[in-house]
Amino acid sequence: MNILSVNAGSSSLKFQMYEMPAEQVLISGVFERIGMEGSFYTIKLNGEKVEKKVELKDHKKAFELLVKELMDNKIVDTLDDIAGIGHRIVQGGSYFDKSVIASEDVIAKIDELSKLAPLHNPAAIVGIRAAEAVIPGAVQTVVFDTAFHQTMPEENYLYALPYEWSQDYQIRRYGAHGTSHKYISQKMNEILDRSDTKLITCHIGNGASISAVLNGKCINTSMGLTPNAGLIMGTRCGDIDATIVPYMMEVLGLSAKEMDTVLNKQSGLLGISGVSSDSRDIEAGIKEGNRRCLLAQKMYVRRIVDYIAKYYVELGGCDAIVFTAGVGENSIPVRRQVVEALDVLGVKLDEEKNNIRGSIQKISTSDSSIKVYVIPTDEELMIARDTYELINS
Ligand code: AMP
């Protein structure tokens, strides 16, 4: 059975097609600059990457071209060979604690939640509508980035703001990267061959979050109402004293929108270093003796360590810490510094094993009090799995 995993942004459409249940990737790619000048798409097939410049008026056109590629490359013969399409949805609010079929009622709820994810939820609906129009026979499902975090207890998801705000305006912690945290915690449990585990899952990419996962269920996570909470990220500040916001708006005469841009686009590694949001550039800057790059990395690592320590206490111990995403899978120095700072808990790094990028590896020593792993994430596969399960249920 062929299942398509889709991630629609306002001007992009990423896709990956799987043969299920074998979980084999048949083709993948991305359409970019949809509705803009200079649009193009890239297709990855049999290890080869091809880029094609085309006019992409809208997402429907992108789906039409995708179907044509699937047929031209003999991945499907007819549209009926596409059994399901799973869409990534950033914000599912308190409505969704699991993936569901994209009924009209479900789409209306995703639309209602657009106020909490104005850049993402409307784009996802455009993606669903376009897929429906081009591939009407496929079962459409929606997979939420927030769903895995819905098991958090109230005391962890509420903010100490007027209680009515949570009731009247849905102001609470929802978290994000849930599909990734779920994937790596399931994979970790598989490796440990147990399900009664205490895991700390660290999704450290350009956006970054850490979750505390008890017996396969999330009990706390570092992102909040929006992704700008918790860790220091590429361009996001993460946790700060909230009163800085009105104070600096007054000092600089910034509008709410301008302040939002500073907090989300001009802060984090970029804001501190003044060099880049990319940890590779920060590492290069450190090698050249750039003091602010060094400072940015120290602060970045400190915050990760703080969250691991907090969740260690909350979980009442920890069986494994898992690193994933761009930085977690690839940055040898960030992993080293985080694990070294956990020395007080008896966590020990195997330097040689840490010398890897992008593959599953245990990086702690055999006498480490907590196992530390690198596990590459695979959110697209999770979307395909959930879609396959929903079709077969
Ligand atoms: P993601 O959001 O998961 O795609 O992660 C993207 C981020 O991963 C980039 O902005 C980099 O900071 C980081 N990254 C990717 N490759 C490397 C690498 N080889 N070494 C260090 N950081 C990396």
Side-chain angles (χ1 to χ4, degrees), residues 311-358:
Y311 291 160
Y312 173 84
V313 173
E314 189 167 347
L315 286 163
C318 178
D319 296 301
I321 298 166
V322 193
F323 287 100
T324 197
V327 180
E329 291 169 29
N330 296 297
S331 176
I332 294 162
V334 166
R335 289 195 306 250
R336 182 195 306 119
Q337 286 165 40
V338 169
V339 177
E340 279 175 358
L342 295 168
D343 180 59
V344 66
L345 298 180
V347 191
K348 292 196 176 71
L349 184 74
D350 184 322
E351 280 282 353
E352 213 165 289
K353 288 188 178 148
N354 186 40
N355 203 14
I356 53 115
R357 293 203 160 98

mmCIF file of all heavy atoms in Angstrom, residues 311-358:
data_model
loop_
_atom_site.group_PDB
_atom_site.id
_atom_site.type_symbol
_atom_site.label_atom_id
_atom_site.label_comp_id
_atom_site.label_asym_id
_atom_site.label_seq_id
_atom_site.Cartn_x
_atom_site.Cartn_y
_atom_site.Cartn_z
ATOM 1 N N TYR A 311 14.149 17.457 34.206
ATOM 2 C CA TYR A 311 13.320 16.293 33.869
ATOM 3 C C TYR A 311 13.831 15.021 34.553
ATOM 4 O O TYR A 311 13.048 14.105 34.826
ATOM 5 C CB TYR A 311 13.223 16.115 32.344
ATOM 6 C CG TYR A 311 12.418 17.217 31.669
ATOM 7 C CD1 TYR A 311 12.554 17.485 30.307
ATOM 8 C CD2 TYR A 311 11.516 17.982 32.394
ATOM 9 C CE1 TYR A 311 11.808 18.489 29.693
ATOM 10 C CE2 TYR A 311 10.775 18.995 31.794
ATOM 11 C CZ TYR A 311 10.929 19.241 30.446
ATOM 12 O OH TYR A 311 10.197 20.233 29.838
ATOM 13 N N TYR A 312 15.125 14.972 34.823
ATOM 14 C CA TYR A 312 15.685 13.845 35.572
ATOM 15 C C TYR A 312 15.004 13.772 36.940
ATOM 16 O O TYR A 312 14.573 12.709 37.400
ATOM 17 C CB TYR A 312 17.202 14.051 35.718
ATOM 18 C CG TYR A 312 17.892 13.060 36.612
ATOM 19 C CD1 TYR A 312 18.303 11.820 36.137
ATOM 20 C CD2 TYR A 312 18.146 13.366 37.957
ATOM 21 C CE1 TYR A 312 18.937 10.912 36.961
ATOM 22 C CE2 TYR A 312 18.789 12.459 38.786
ATOM 23 C CZ TYR A 312 19.182 11.232 38.283
ATOM 24 O OH TYR A 312 19.815 10.333 39.105
ATOM 25 N N VAL A 313 14.890 14.925 37.567
ATOM 26 C CA VAL A 313 14.253 14.984 38.891
ATOM 27 C C VAL A 313 12.759 14.661 38.757
ATOM 28 O O VAL A 313 12.204 13.878 39.528
ATOM 29 C CB VAL A 313 14.467 16.385 39.529
ATOM 30 C CG1 VAL A 313 13.664 16.516 40.823
ATOM 31 C CG2 VAL A 313 15.948 16.625 39.790
ATOM 32 N N GLU A 314 12.128 15.245 37.744
ATOM 33 C CA GLU A 314 10.691 15.025 37.579
ATOM 34 C C GLU A 314 10.354 13.558 37.279
ATOM 35 O O GLU A 314 9.355 13.022 37.770
ATOM 36 C CB GLU A 314 10.172 15.932 36.458
ATOM 37 C CG GLU A 314 8.664 15.911 36.393
ATOM 38 C CD GLU A 314 8.089 17.021 35.529
ATOM 39 O OE1 GLU A 314 8.814 17.962 35.168
ATOM 40 O OE2 GLU A 314 6.900 16.913 35.220
ATOM 41 N N LEU A 315 11.215 12.915 36.488
ATOM 42 C CA LEU A 315 10.982 11.498 36.163
ATOM 43 C C LEU A 315 11.386 10.576 37.313
ATOM 44 O O LEU A 315 11.059 9.395 37.314
ATOM 45 C CB LEU A 315 11.785 11.109 34.913
ATOM 46 C CG LEU A 315 11.292 11.619 33.552
ATOM 47 C CD1 LEU A 315 12.394 11.502 32.514
ATOM 48 C CD2 LEU A 315 10.047 10.851 33.098
ATOM 49 N N GLY A 316 12.130 11.125 38.284
ATOM 50 C CA GLY A 316 12.634 10.294 39.383
ATOM 51 C C GLY A 316 13.728 9.361 38.894
ATOM 52 O O GLY A 316 13.801 8.192 39.267
ATOM 53 N N GLY A 317 14.607 9.898 38.028
ATOM 54 C CA GLY A 317 15.701 9.102 37.449
ATOM 55 C C GLY A 317 15.547 9.071 35.935
ATOM 56 O O GLY A 317 14.618 9.686 35.386
ATOM 57 N N CYS A 318 16.450 8.367 35.284
ATOM 58 C CA CYS A 318 16.381 8.341 33.823
ATOM 59 C C CYS A 318 17.104 7.102 33.288
ATOM 60 O O CYS A 318 18.200 6.781 33.749
ATOM 61 C CB CYS A 318 17.024 9.616 33.278
ATOM 62 S SG CYS A 318 17.069 9.723 31.497
ATOM 63 N N ASP A 319 16.462 6.400 32.367
ATOM 64 C CA ASP A 319 17.114 5.239 31.742
ATOM 65 C C ASP A 319 17.970 5.651 30.563
ATOM 66 O O ASP A 319 19.035 5.079 30.344
ATOM 67 C CB ASP A 319 16.049 4.234 31.262
ATOM 68 C CG ASP A 319 15.258 3.673 32.425
ATOM 69 O OD1 ASP A 319 15.884 3.067 33.309
ATOM 70 O OD2 ASP A 319 14.035 3.871 32.465
ATOM 71 N N ALA A 320 17.477 6.622 29.788
ATOM 72 C CA ALA A 320 18.262 7.037 28.616
ATOM 73 C C ALA A 320 17.946 8.468 28.219
ATOM 74 O O ALA A 320 16.808 8.932 28.339
ATOM 75 C CB ALA A 320 17.979 6.103 27.431
ATOM 76 N N ILE A 321 19.016 9.142 27.785
ATOM 77 C CA ILE A 321 18.892 10.479 27.191
ATOM 78 C C ILE A 321 19.114 10.264 25.700
ATOM 79 O O ILE A 321 20.070 9.587 25.310
ATOM 80 C CB ILE A 321 19.980 11.422 27.756
ATOM 81 C CG1 ILE A 321 19.805 11.600 29.270
ATOM 82 C CG2 ILE A 321 19.965 12.770 27.031
ATOM 83 C CD1 ILE A 321 21.001 12.236 29.964
ATOM 84 N N VAL A 322 18.235 10.821 24.880
ATOM 85 C CA VAL A 322 18.370 10.619 23.428
ATOM 86 C C VAL A 322 18.522 11.958 22.721
ATOM 87 O O VAL A 322 17.760 12.887 22.980
ATOM 88 C CB VAL A 322 17.123 9.910 22.840
ATOM 89 C CG1 VAL A 322 17.417 9.440 21.425
ATOM 90 C CG2 VAL A 322 16.681 8.753 23.708
ATOM 91 N N PHE A 323 19.511 12.030 21.834
ATOM 92 C CA PHE A 323 19.703 13.228 21.017
ATOM 93 C C PHE A 323 19.201 12.963 19.604
ATOM 94 O O PHE A 323 19.513 11.915 19.009
ATOM 95 C CB PHE A 323 21.194 13.586 20.918
ATOM 96 C CG PHE A 323 21.773 14.151 22.180
ATOM 97 C CD1 PHE A 323 22.507 13.347 23.045
ATOM 98 C CD2 PHE A 323 21.587 15.487 22.498
ATOM 99 C CE1 PHE A 323 23.043 13.872 24.210
ATOM 100 C CE2 PHE A 323 22.124 16.021 23.657
ATOM 101 C CZ PHE A 323 22.853 15.207 24.519
ATOM 102 N N THR A 324 18.476 13.962 19.050
ATOM 103 C CA THR A 324 18.063 13.845 17.648
ATOM 104 C C THR A 324 17.990 15.222 17.001
ATOM 105 O O THR A 324 18.263 16.231 17.646
ATOM 106 C CB THR A 324 16.706 13.095 17.543
ATOM 107 O OG1 THR A 324 16.530 12.642 16.208
ATOM 108 C CG2 THR A 324 15.531 13.986 17.911
ATOM 109 N N ALA A 325 17.643 15.254 15.707
ATOM 110 C CA ALA A 325 17.517 16.468 14.855
ATOM 111 C C ALA A 325 18.903 17.019 14.493
ATOM 112 O O ALA A 325 19.920 16.473 14.918
ATOM 113 C CB ALA A 325 16.638 17.516 15.507
ATOM 114 N N GLY A 326 18.903 18.106 13.703
ATOM 115 C CA GLY A 326 20.136 18.604 13.070
ATOM 116 C C GLY A 326 21.337 18.696 13.991
ATOM 117 O O GLY A 326 22.395 18.127 13.708
ATOM 118 N N VAL A 327 21.196 19.390 15.118
ATOM 119 C CA VAL A 327 22.310 19.547 16.050
ATOM 120 C C VAL A 327 22.521 18.253 16.845
ATOM 121 O O VAL A 327 23.650 17.765 16.969
ATOM 122 C CB VAL A 327 22.072 20.743 17.007
ATOM 123 C CG1 VAL A 327 23.230 20.910 17.978
ATOM 124 C CG2 VAL A 327 21.824 22.031 16.223
ATOM 125 N N GLY A 328 21.435 17.691 17.353
ATOM 126 C CA GLY A 328 21.523 16.474 18.168
ATOM 127 C C GLY A 328 22.153 15.298 17.425
ATOM 128 O O GLY A 328 22.891 14.502 18.002
ATOM 129 N N GLU A 329 21.873 15.208 16.126
ATOM 130 C CA GLU A 329 22.419 14.084 15.343
ATOM 131 C C GLU A 329 23.835 14.357 14.849
ATOM 132 O O GLU A 329 24.582 13.423 14.563
ATOM 133 C CB GLU A 329 21.515 13.814 14.121
ATOM 134 C CG GLU A 329 20.166 13.239 14.507
ATOM 135 C CD GLU A 329 19.178 13.232 13.339
ATOM 136 O OE1 GLU A 329 19.609 13.128 12.181
ATOM 137 O OE2 GLU A 329 17.964 13.334 13.597
ATOM 138 N N ASN A 330 24.171 15.656 14.738
ATOM 139 C CA ASN A 330 25.431 15.987 14.051
ATOM 140 C C ASN A 330 26.492 16.719 14.849
ATOM 141 O O ASN A 330 27.660 16.692 14.470
ATOM 142 C CB ASN A 330 25.120 16.842 12.813
ATOM 143 C CG ASN A 330 24.309 16.082 11.797
ATOM 144 O OD1 ASN A 330 24.766 15.081 11.260
ATOM 145 N ND2 ASN A 330 23.089 16.534 11.552
ATOM 146 N N SER A 331 26.096 17.431 15.901
ATOM 147 C CA SER A 331 27.107 18.249 16.574
ATOM 148 C C SER A 331 27.821 17.463 17.677
ATOM 149 O O SER A 331 27.295 17.278 18.779
ATOM 150 C CB SER A 331 26.492 19.522 17.155
ATOM 151 O OG SER A 331 27.508 20.208 17.855
ATOM 152 N N ILE A 332 29.010 17.040 17.355
ATOM 153 C CA ILE A 332 29.825 16.277 18.311
ATOM 154 C C ILE A 332 30.155 17.148 19.541
ATOM 155 O O ILE A 332 29.986 16.700 20.680
ATOM 156 C CB ILE A 332 31.078 15.726 17.590
ATOM 157 C CG1 ILE A 332 30.611 14.696 16.540
ATOM 158 C CG2 ILE A 332 32.096 15.118 18.560
ATOM 159 C CD1 ILE A 332 31.618 14.382 15.463
ATOM 160 N N PRO A 333 30.568 18.416 19.357
ATOM 161 C CA PRO A 333 30.887 19.245 20.526
ATOM 162 C C PRO A 333 29.689 19.551 21.420
ATOM 163 O O PRO A 333 29.834 19.546 22.650
ATOM 164 C CB PRO A 333 31.467 20.532 19.949
ATOM 165 C CG PRO A 333 31.399 20.449 18.485
ATOM 166 C CD PRO A 333 30.970 19.076 18.091
ATOM 167 N N VAL A 334 28.520 19.821 20.833
ATOM 168 C CA VAL A 334 27.361 20.126 21.696
ATOM 169 C C VAL A 334 27.026 18.904 22.555
ATOM 170 O O VAL A 334 26.841 19.004 23.766
ATOM 171 C CB VAL A 334 26.135 20.603 20.866
ATOM 172 C CG1 VAL A 334 24.858 20.586 21.709
ATOM 173 C CG2 VAL A 334 26.374 21.995 20.294
ATOM 174 N N ARG A 335 26.990 17.718 21.935
ATOM 175 C CA ARG A 335 26.690 16.495 22.715
ATOM 176 C C ARG A 335 27.730 16.296 23.800
ATOM 177 O O ARG A 335 27.408 15.973 24.949
ATOM 178 C CB ARG A 335 26.652 15.270 21.792
ATOM 179 C CG ARG A 335 25.454 15.236 20.867
ATOM 180 C CD ARG A 335 25.283 13.856 20.270
ATOM 181 N NE ARG A 335 26.455 13.346 19.601
ATOM 182 C CZ ARG A 335 26.583 13.182 18.277
ATOM 183 N NH1 ARG A 335 25.588 13.508 17.472
ATOM 184 N NH2 ARG A 335 27.685 12.706 17.756
ATOM 185 N N ARG A 336 29.008 16.498 23.430
ATOM 186 C CA ARG A 336 30.083 16.285 24.413
ATOM 187 C C ARG A 336 29.892 17.215 25.612
ATOM 188 O O ARG A 336 29.942 16.785 26.763
ATOM 189 C CB ARG A 336 31.446 16.532 23.772
ATOM 190 C CG ARG A 336 32.590 16.268 24.771
ATOM 191 C CD ARG A 336 33.929 16.827 24.349
ATOM 192 N NE ARG A 336 34.306 16.360 23.028
ATOM 193 C CZ ARG A 336 34.515 17.165 21.990
ATOM 194 N NH1 ARG A 336 34.372 18.477 22.128
ATOM 195 N NH2 ARG A 336 34.870 16.679 20.822
ATOM 196 N N GLN A 337 29.666 18.500 25.330
ATOM 197 C CA GLN A 337 29.566 19.468 26.421
ATOM 198 C C GLN A 337 28.352 19.205 27.311
ATOM 199 O O GLN A 337 28.424 19.368 28.530
ATOM 200 C CB GLN A 337 29.530 20.880 25.851
ATOM 201 C CG GLN A 337 30.895 21.313 25.339
ATOM 202 C CD GLN A 337 30.817 22.543 24.466
ATOM 203 O OE1 GLN A 337 30.066 23.466 24.744
ATOM 204 N NE2 GLN A 337 31.575 22.556 23.394
ATOM 205 N N VAL A 338 27.238 18.785 26.690
ATOM 206 C CA VAL A 338 26.044 18.478 27.488
ATOM 207 C C VAL A 338 26.347 17.297 28.418
ATOM 208 O O VAL A 338 26.106 17.358 29.632
ATOM 209 C CB VAL A 338 24.822 18.156 26.582
ATOM 210 C CG1 VAL A 338 23.675 17.583 27.402
ATOM 211 C CG2 VAL A 338 24.373 19.402 25.824
ATOM 212 N N VAL A 339 26.904 16.241 27.856
ATOM 213 C CA VAL A 339 27.144 15.039 28.680
ATOM 214 C C VAL A 339 28.195 15.333 29.751
ATOM 215 O O VAL A 339 28.040 14.896 30.901
ATOM 216 C CB VAL A 339 27.529 13.827 27.795
ATOM 217 C CG1 VAL A 339 27.847 12.615 28.662
ATOM 218 C CG2 VAL A 339 26.402 13.476 26.836
ATOM 219 N N GLU A 340 29.220 16.093 29.425
ATOM 220 C CA GLU A 340 30.245 16.423 30.438
ATOM 221 C C GLU A 340 29.630 17.187 31.612
ATOM 222 O O GLU A 340 29.994 16.982 32.762
ATOM 223 C CB GLU A 340 31.378 17.239 29.802
ATOM 224 C CG GLU A 340 32.375 16.326 29.075
ATOM 225 C CD GLU A 340 33.446 17.105 28.320
ATOM 226 O OE1 GLU A 340 33.411 18.345 28.313
ATOM 227 O OE2 GLU A 340 34.322 16.428 27.735
ATOM 228 N N ALA A 341 28.656 18.055 31.313
ATOM 229 C CA ALA A 341 28.025 18.834 32.385
ATOM 230 C C ALA A 341 27.123 17.964 33.260
ATOM 231 O O ALA A 341 26.706 18.379 34.336
ATOM 232 C CB ALA A 341 27.222 19.981 31.776
ATOM 233 N N LEU A 342 26.817 16.748 32.792
ATOM 234 C CA LEU A 342 25.972 15.835 33.575
ATOM 235 C C LEU A 342 26.807 14.856 34.394
ATOM 236 O O LEU A 342 26.283 13.904 34.973
ATOM 237 C CB LEU A 342 25.026 15.064 32.634
ATOM 238 C CG LEU A 342 23.989 15.921 31.896
ATOM 239 C CD1 LEU A 342 23.309 15.115 30.799
ATOM 240 C CD2 LEU A 342 22.949 16.458 32.883
ATOM 241 N N ASP A 343 28.100 15.110 34.432
ATOM 242 C CA ASP A 343 29.041 14.258 35.153
ATOM 243 C C ASP A 343 28.610 14.022 36.611
ATOM 244 O O ASP A 343 28.740 12.922 37.141
ATOM 245 C CB ASP A 343 30.429 14.919 35.091
ATOM 246 C CG ASP A 343 31.472 14.103 35.810
ATOM 247 O OD1 ASP A 343 31.654 12.936 35.409
ATOM 248 O OD2 ASP A 343 32.072 14.611 36.786
ATOM 249 N N VAL A 344 28.059 15.062 37.231
ATOM 250 C CA VAL A 344 27.642 14.968 38.628
ATOM 251 C C VAL A 344 26.592 13.865 38.832
ATOM 252 O O VAL A 344 26.459 13.301 39.918
ATOM 253 C CB VAL A 344 27.138 16.353 39.127
ATOM 254 C CG1 VAL A 344 25.856 16.755 38.399
ATOM 255 C CG2 VAL A 344 26.908 16.368 40.621
ATOM 256 N N LEU A 345 25.855 13.550 37.759
ATOM 257 C CA LEU A 345 24.844 12.467 37.852
ATOM 258 C C LEU A 345 25.447 11.105 37.491
ATOM 259 O O LEU A 345 24.742 10.106 37.447
ATOM 260 C CB LEU A 345 23.664 12.761 36.914
ATOM 261 C CG LEU A 345 22.852 14.035 37.183
ATOM 262 C CD1 LEU A 345 21.731 14.175 36.156
ATOM 263 C CD2 LEU A 345 22.253 14.007 38.590
ATOM 264 N N GLY A 346 26.732 11.115 37.175
ATOM 265 C CA GLY A 346 27.386 9.842 36.815
ATOM 266 C C GLY A 346 27.240 9.480 35.347
ATOM 267 O O GLY A 346 27.461 8.334 34.958
ATOM 268 N N VAL A 347 26.864 10.480 34.529
ATOM 269 C CA VAL A 347 26.718 10.215 33.095
ATOM 270 C C VAL A 347 28.098 10.362 32.458
ATOM 271 O O VAL A 347 28.793 11.351 32.684
ATOM 272 C CB VAL A 347 25.720 11.203 32.431
ATOM 273 C CG1 VAL A 347 25.383 10.743 31.021
ATOM 274 C CG2 VAL A 347 24.453 11.323 33.261
ATOM 275 N N LYS A 348 28.473 9.357 31.644
ATOM 276 C CA LYS A 348 29.829 9.375 31.083
ATOM 277 C C LYS A 348 29.792 9.145 29.577
ATOM 278 O O LYS A 348 29.153 8.223 29.083
ATOM 279 C CB LYS A 348 30.675 8.294 31.735
ATOM 280 C CG LYS A 348 30.967 8.568 33.209
ATOM 281 C CD LYS A 348 32.119 7.694 33.697
ATOM 282 C CE LYS A 348 32.504 7.995 35.126
ATOM 283 N NZ LYS A 348 31.510 7.563 36.112
ATOM 284 N N LEU A 349 30.545 9.989 28.885
ATOM 285 C CA LEU A 349 30.572 9.928 27.423
ATOM 286 C C LEU A 349 31.709 9.037 26.941
ATOM 287 O O LEU A 349 32.825 9.095 27.465
ATOM 288 C CB LEU A 349 30.774 11.346 26.878
ATOM 289 C CG LEU A 349 30.725 11.500 25.363
ATOM 290 C CD1 LEU A 349 29.287 11.392 24.864
ATOM 291 C CD2 LEU A 349 31.317 12.836 24.931
ATOM 292 N N ASP A 350 31.425 8.230 25.928
ATOM 293 C CA ASP A 350 32.475 7.501 25.226
ATOM 294 C C ASP A 350 32.879 8.377 24.034
ATOM 295 O O ASP A 350 32.144 8.469 23.048
ATOM 296 C CB ASP A 350 31.928 6.149 24.744
ATOM 297 C CG ASP A 350 32.993 5.289 24.091
ATOM 298 O OD1 ASP A 350 33.840 5.867 23.373
ATOM 299 O OD2 ASP A 350 32.972 4.064 24.299
ATOM 300 N N GLU A 351 34.015 9.046 24.172
ATOM 301 C CA GLU A 351 34.459 10.037 23.165
ATOM 302 C C GLU A 351 34.477 9.457 21.753
ATOM 303 O O GLU A 351 34.081 10.116 20.795
ATOM 304 C CB GLU A 351 35.866 10.536 23.505
ATOM 305 C CG GLU A 351 35.898 11.592 24.588
ATOM 306 C CD GLU A 351 35.493 12.974 24.073
ATOM 307 O OE1 GLU A 351 35.307 13.146 22.865
ATOM 308 O OE2 GLU A 351 35.334 13.869 24.934
ATOM 309 N N GLU A 352 34.952 8.233 21.662
ATOM 310 C CA GLU A 352 35.080 7.618 20.333
ATOM 311 C C GLU A 352 33.706 7.368 19.701
ATOM 312 O O GLU A 352 33.479 7.664 18.530
ATOM 313 C CB GLU A 352 35.816 6.295 20.474
ATOM 314 C CG GLU A 352 36.682 5.972 19.280
ATOM 315 C CD GLU A 352 37.642 4.869 19.659
ATOM 316 O OE1 GLU A 352 38.590 5.126 20.448
ATOM 317 O OE2 GLU A 352 37.398 3.753 19.199
ATOM 318 N N LYS A 353 32.794 6.844 20.537
ATOM 319 C CA LYS A 353 31.452 6.555 20.016
ATOM 320 C C LYS A 353 30.693 7.840 19.693
ATOM 321 O O LYS A 353 29.802 7.847 18.840
ATOM 322 C CB LYS A 353 30.675 5.703 21.012
ATOM 323 C CG LYS A 353 31.200 4.276 21.068
ATOM 324 C CD LYS A 353 30.302 3.407 21.905
ATOM 325 C CE LYS A 353 30.800 1.978 21.922
ATOM 326 N NZ LYS A 353 30.502 1.309 23.193
ATOM 327 N N ASN A 354 31.041 8.923 20.405
ATOM 328 C CA ASN A 354 30.373 10.203 20.136
ATOM 329 C C ASN A 354 30.800 10.794 18.791
ATOM 330 O O ASN A 354 30.179 11.711 18.281
ATOM 331 C CB ASN A 354 30.683 11.210 21.258
ATOM 332 C CG ASN A 354 29.887 12.498 21.104
ATOM 333 O OD1 ASN A 354 28.709 12.473 20.750
ATOM 334 N ND2 ASN A 354 30.539 13.634 21.338
ATOM 335 N N ASN A 355 31.849 10.223 18.223
ATOM 336 C CA ASN A 355 32.408 10.761 16.982
ATOM 337 C C ASN A 355 31.598 10.285 15.759
ATOM 338 O O ASN A 355 32.156 9.743 14.819
ATOM 339 C CB ASN A 355 33.865 10.298 16.893
ATOM 340 C CG ASN A 355 34.663 11.214 16.009
ATOM 341 O OD1 ASN A 355 34.200 12.316 15.683
ATOM 342 N ND2 ASN A 355 35.833 10.773 15.613
ATOM 343 N N ILE A 356 30.283 10.451 15.822
ATOM 344 C CA ILE A 356 29.431 10.001 14.708
ATOM 345 C C ILE A 356 28.434 11.088 14.340
ATOM 346 O O ILE A 356 28.158 11.986 15.131
ATOM 347 C CB ILE A 356 28.618 8.725 15.052
ATOM 348 C CG1 ILE A 356 27.843 8.940 16.359
ATOM 349 C CG2 ILE A 356 29.451 7.499 15.071
ATOM 350 C CD1 ILE A 356 26.381 8.939 16.181
ATOM 351 N N ARG A 357 27.903 10.959 13.142
ATOM 352 C CA ARG A 357 26.877 11.897 12.694
ATOM 353 C C ARG A 357 25.752 11.113 12.025
ATOM 354 O O ARG A 357 26.017 10.275 11.161
ATOM 355 C CB ARG A 357 27.438 12.868 11.662
ATOM 356 C CG ARG A 357 28.474 13.800 12.231
ATOM 357 C CD ARG A 357 28.591 15.066 11.399
ATOM 358 N NE ARG A 357 29.199 16.088 12.211
ATOM 359 C CZ ARG A 357 30.486 16.397 12.161
ATOM 360 N NH1 ARG A 357 31.292 15.782 11.328
ATOM 361 N NH2 ARG A 357 30.965 17.348 12.934
ATOM 362 N N GLY A 358 24.527 11.376 12.458
ATOM 363 C CA GLY A 358 23.357 10.909 11.723
ATOM 364 C C GLY A 358 23.099 9.418 11.694
ATOM 365 O O GLY A 358 22.463 8.938 10.758
#
